[in-house]
């Protein structure tokens, strides 16, 4: 009996030693956990764009606004602007050549009316970025604008993981 108890104790000790050790989370100088790097792969683009469209349409539906459709020309304008913000290393609505949002829409041949833009420089996912936009009254108003019918959404991710998000709404 003593032999059996000793054998079981040894097996339990060995099994306990095989358990994974929890990894230590890295923290920043402020003591808060550092964000995990969100890497976007080339094949993820349609999935991310439609996840954003579906999420915005759910928010719009809850507020009584009509759903948006994805627009290829607005996607092109958003992609150009996301890359340009990265080149400029600042999130703002004007291009490095001084172009405005209206100039960008004209360049891609968009024939509707410009409703507004939402931009961001972050390491966060598209849904975390959408939540941050919804927390701001100005971008929330744009996203829920009842005149909007079409949406363009794109990003540029730098090699260090920083993401420049650009969303454009139009009629």
């Amino acid at each position: 009996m003593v032999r059996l108890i000793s054998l079981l104790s040894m097996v339990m000790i060995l099994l306990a030693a095989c358990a994974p050790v929890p990894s230590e989370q890295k923290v920043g100088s402020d003591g808060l956990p550092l964000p995990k790097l969100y890497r976007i792969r080339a094949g993820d683009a349609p999935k991310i764009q439609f996840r954003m469209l579906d999420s915005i349409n759910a928010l719009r539906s809850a507020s009584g606004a009509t759903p948006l459709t994805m627009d290829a020309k607005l996607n092109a304008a958003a992609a150009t602007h996301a890359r340009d913000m990265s080149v400029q290393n600042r999130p703002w609505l004007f291009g490095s050549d001084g172009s405005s949002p209206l100039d960008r829409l004209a360049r891609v041949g968009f024939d509707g009316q410009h409703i507004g833009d939402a931009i961001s420089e972050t390491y966060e996912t598209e849904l975390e970025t959408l939540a941050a936009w919804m927390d701001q009254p100005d971008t929330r108003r744009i996203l829920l604008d009842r005149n909007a019918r079409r949406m363009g959404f794109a990003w540029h991710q730098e090699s260090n993981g920083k993401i420049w998000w650009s969303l454009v709404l139009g009629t």
Side-chain angles (χ1 to χ4, degrees):
M1 183 70 159
V2 171
R3 191 180 279 170
L4 180 61
I5 292 174
S6 297
L7 183 62
L8 286 174
S9 297
M10 293 282 272
V11 168
M12 290 178 64
I13 291 171
L14 287 172
L15 287 175
C18 294
V21 177
S23 63
E24 298 215 11
Q25 189 169 14
K26 295 180 182 176
V27 294
S29 59
D30 57 1
L32 296 175
L34 293 174
K36 289 184 177 182
L37 187 58
Y38 179 58
R39 280 278 177 209
I40 301 172
R41 296 174 302 199
D44 291 342
K47 179 174 54 176
I48 290 171
Q49 285 178 317
F50 283 101
R51 185 167 43 231
M52 181 63 94
L53 178 66
D54 290 344
S55 298
I56 290 174
N57 280 339
L59 294 166
R60 289 175 62 83
S61 176
S63 74
T66 58
L68 302 172
T69 58
M70 194 67 73
D71 185 282
K73 291 179 180 177
L74 291 178
N75 281 344
T80 300
H81 191 58
R83 186 171 303 279
D84 192 48
M85 286 189 296
S86 171
V87 169
Q88 296 179 73
N89 196 31
R90 64 178 171 176
W92 77 319
L93 294 174
F94 294 93
S96 55
D97 62 355
S99 60
S100 71
L102 295 176
D103 295 329
R104 283 192 298 280
L105 296 185
R107 287 179 187 162
V108 297
F110 182 70
D111 58 357
Q113 178 186 357
H114 176 254
I115 298 293
D117 293 71
I119 58 172
S120 183
E121 164 197 17
T122 184
Y123 291 89
E124 297 177 329
T125 69
E126 66 279 0
L127 297 181
E128 289 169 318
T129 301
L130 175 58
W133 287 340
M134 289 299 288
D135 281 342
Q136 298 299 314
D138 56 340
T139 50
R140 180 183 179 88
R141 183 180 38 76
I142 290 167
L143 295 171
L144 300 179
D145 189 302
R146 293 178 185 264
N147 294 316
R149 297 290 180 267
R150 298 188 274 177
M151 179 182 105
F153 179 63
W155 58 89
H156 173 74
Q157 186 166 35
E158 296 177 355
S159 60
N160 66 3
K162 183 188 292 185
I163 306 169
W164 300 86
W165 299 104
S166 178
L167 181 138
V168 185
L169 295 183
T171 61

